[in-house]
Amino acid sequence: QKEIPVMILCNKQDDPSALSNLRVKAILEDEIDKLRTTRQADLGSLRNIGGSAGAGGSGAGDEDDDDAAAAEKASDYLGYEGKKFAFEHISNPVQINESSMAMGLDIGGMEQIKAWVSDAFNA
């Protein structure tokens, strides 16, 4: 199965206060890591509440529920467990480009986007 390529385009690079593509990448990786950590904590607490026999459940089928939850976690987890998230850890090719759509500037622009789409989806 071919993975879907992803392009993150950092526009407005003509603005002196614009963040570089490396800085945007670092911010996105930090945010995804925070979301991943919070989501795991929330799902873990819900499983403990809903799966306990004392909460009205009979306890029967708890192993099947645990197996299903483990399988879902394994297929749903983004990156490597126990390591800080990095785009390099996922199977989708990720490209982070800088651009400016301001007229007359030679910073990426539409040509770089067209070239990426062509390469990514015609390969």
Side-chain angles (χ1 to χ4, degrees), residues 52-70:
S52 66
S58 65
D62 284 347
E63 283 184 33
D64 291 339
D65 291 345
D66 290 344
D67 291 343

Side-chain angles (χ1 to χ4, degrees), residues 24-88:
V24 169
K25 178 184 180 205
I27 291 169
L28 288 172
E29 287 175 338
D30 287 345
E31 287 300 315
I32 290 171
D33 195 54
K34 286 177 194 173
L35 287 170
R36 193 174 64 162
T37 304
T38 354
R39 182 171 183 251
Q40 268 195 306
D42 287 347
L43 289 176
S45 65
L46 289 175
R47 277 193 207 104
N48 290 339
I49 292 169
S52 66
S58 65
D62 284 347
E63 283 184 33
D64 291 339
D65 291 345
D66 290 344
D67 291 343
E72 180 184 341
K73 178 182 173 189
S75 68
D76 223 14
Y77 198 81
L78 197 57
Y80 299 135
E81 197 162 353
K83 293 190 176 191
K84 185 180 179 308
F85 175 80
F87 284 112
E88 292 79 15

Side-chain angles (χ1 to χ4, degrees), residues 2-5 93 113-123:
K2 188 173 178 181
E3 298 295 337
I4 297 172
I113 298 168
K114 289 177 186 176
W116 179 84
V117 169
S118 177
D119 290 346
F121 294 103
N122 291 327

Side-chain angles (χ1 to χ4, degrees), residues 26 55 68 82 96:
I96 303 175

